[in-house]
Amino acid sequence: MEDFDKIDEQMQRALDIVENAADITDEQLAELDADKELLQDCRDLHSVKMMAQKQASAIDVDKEYKAFEQRHQPRRKHKMSIWWGIAAAAAAVFIGFIFLQKEQIIDDEQPLMVYEADAELSPITITSKRTGKVAQTITEKQQEYTPAIEDMEIEDVLTVDVPKGGSYTVNLPDGSRVYLYADSRLVFPTRFAGSERAVQLEGEAYFKVAADSDHPFIVNTPTMQTMVLGTEFNVRAYGNAADNVTLITGSVMVNSRQHHAKLNPGEQASINDKGGLNIAQVDIEPYTSWRDGFFYFDNVKLQDIMRAIGRNFNLSVEFRDTSLLDYKIHFVADRTSGIETVINTLNRMKKIHVQQEGSKIVVY
C-alpha cells in the first residue's frame, strides 16, 4: 500500500502541474528537471490533452479532459502501468506547452528596454585636439593604432572614440597597450611630458602598462583615479553603479573623491553610494577574456550579460519577461563569432529564450 500511496501522490502532482502550467515557476521547472518520473507523468498527461485538442471541432476538450482525469485517478497499481507505457514522444511538447502558457502571460507585461543601441554603427575615430579635426577613421573591428609621433612636429592630444559595436587597441607613446571596449573613449597625449603619464577614460579598457618607476601611469575617469608604475588592470567607467577597477597583476592605488585604497591582484575597487570605495576579491577571468575576444560571465545577472552583448553588437535589448532580469547564469561565448552564434549559445542552455528582431535582442 505504501508504494501505491507514493504513486497516487506523484500522479496527483503531475495532474496539478499540467492543469496549472501557466503559473509554473522556475523552481517547479527545476524540480521537474530533477525528478524524471514526475516529468514523464506530466509529459504523458499533456500528450493526452494535446491529442484531445486536435479533435476540438468534434468534441468538448475541457469536458473530455476532466473525464480523463476522473477515469485515471491513480488508485490501483495496474492502472499505473498504463502511464509508464504512453509514448515518450510528448517530451518536448509538454515543455513547449509550459513556455507557451508563460509567453501568454508575458505578453501582458510591459516590456523593459535595458539597453539602447545607436541608430547606426559609427566608425572608430581619432580626433586631434590641436586641429579639432578627425585625424583618422577606422571602420573595421579589432584594429590597432600607434601614433606616428615622429611625424608630429607639435605635441598634440588625441581622442579615440570607439562606438557601440566596436573595439580597438591603442599603443601609447610610452609602450603601454590599451584594449578599448565598445562605447568607450580614451584621451592621451602624443608625448608624455613631465613627472607622470596621464590618460582619461570613459567606458571600459584593459591596460598593460609599460614599467617606469620614475613616471607613474594615471588613468582618470569621472569617478576615480588609478595610479600604477607598471602592471595590468581593467577599468570600467560608464558612469553607473557598475564602475570599478580590477587588478590583474602588480599593484595599483585607486582614489575616489573621498577615499583611496591599494589593490592586490584579484581585487576590485568600486564606488559605493556614499562616494567611498568597496574592495572585493573577484574572478579575473571575465576581464582577461573580453580582452582576448570572449564573453565570460560566471553567476552574473542576465540583464548585465545582455547589456554587454547589446553593447558589443550595437543592438538594443528588451526583456519581455522581466522576471528574468536578475536570473544568474554562467555564460561563455566568442565575441567575434557574430550575434546569431551568441544567441544560439544562450538558447542551448534551455533556461531562457532569446531572439533577434531587427536591431533589437528580445528576451522571453
Side-chain angles (χ1 to χ4, degrees), residues 135-308:
Q136 190 172 349
T137 300
I138 302 95
T139 56
E140 299 86 359
K141 287 187 177 182
Q142 303 296 336
Q143 292 291 306
E144 289 190 25
Y145 174 65
T146 302
I149 57 176
E150 64 275 8
D151 297 332
M152 298 180 181
E153 298 180 359
I154 303 176
E155 193 170 291
D156 199 358
V157 174
L158 301 180
T159 299
V160 179
D161 283 296
V162 181
K164 297 174 182 177
S167 58
Y168 203 58
T169 303
V170 177
N171 296 311
L172 298 178
D174 66 334
S176 297
R177 191 171 174 84
V178 185
Y179 301 81
L180 288 168
Y181 196 58
D183 196 16
S184 299
R185 166 179 288 182
L186 180 70
V187 180
F188 63 96
T190 55
R191 290 184 178 88
F192 287 119
S195 61
E196 59 186 34
R197 299 168 288 167
V199 302
Q200 296 177 23
L201 173 70
E202 295 178 28
E204 185 165 7
Y206 185 101
F207 291 85
K208 296 181 71 173
V209 176
D212 185 347
S213 58
D214 295 327
H215 301 87
F217 189 95
I218 298 175
V219 180
N220 292 303
T221 73
T223 58
M224 291 181 288
Q225 182 187 76
T226 304
M227 183 173 67
V228 305
L229 296 178
T231 187
E232 294 188 29
F233 60 101
N234 190 86
V235 179
R236 181 184 177 90
Y238 284 108
N240 55 41
D243 290 358
N244 56 63
V245 175
T246 307
L247 181 61
I248 311 302
T249 63
S251 64
V252 300
M253 182 67 72
V254 180
N255 300 301
S256 69
R257 291 170 183 165
Q258 299 180 19
H259 299 87
H260 64 272
K262 184 178 180 180
L263 301 186
N264 296 312
E267 289 185 335
Q268 182 179 88
S270 58
I271 301 291
N272 58 37
D273 295 338
K274 297 181 180 179
L277 292 172
N278 291 334
I279 310 299
Q281 193 75 29
V282 297
D283 179 10
I284 65 172
E285 190 70 25
Y287 306 98
T288 56
S289 292
W290 86 251
R291 177 201 65 189
D292 296 333
F294 293 90
F295 291 115
Y296 181 97
F297 300 98
D298 187 17
N299 197 36
V300 175
K301 291 181 181 180
L302 186 59
Q303 59 178 308
D304 296 329
I305 295 175
M306 297 310 300
R307 285 192 190 99

Side-chain angles (χ1 to χ4, degrees), residues 102-119:
K102 290 189 77 174
E103 279 189 23
Q104 291 173 349
I105 298 173
I106 292 166
D107 286 342
D108 295 332
E109 292 184 3
Q110 187 68 29
L112 179 63
M113 191 75 72
V114 300
Y115 185 75
E116 292 277 0
D118 289 339

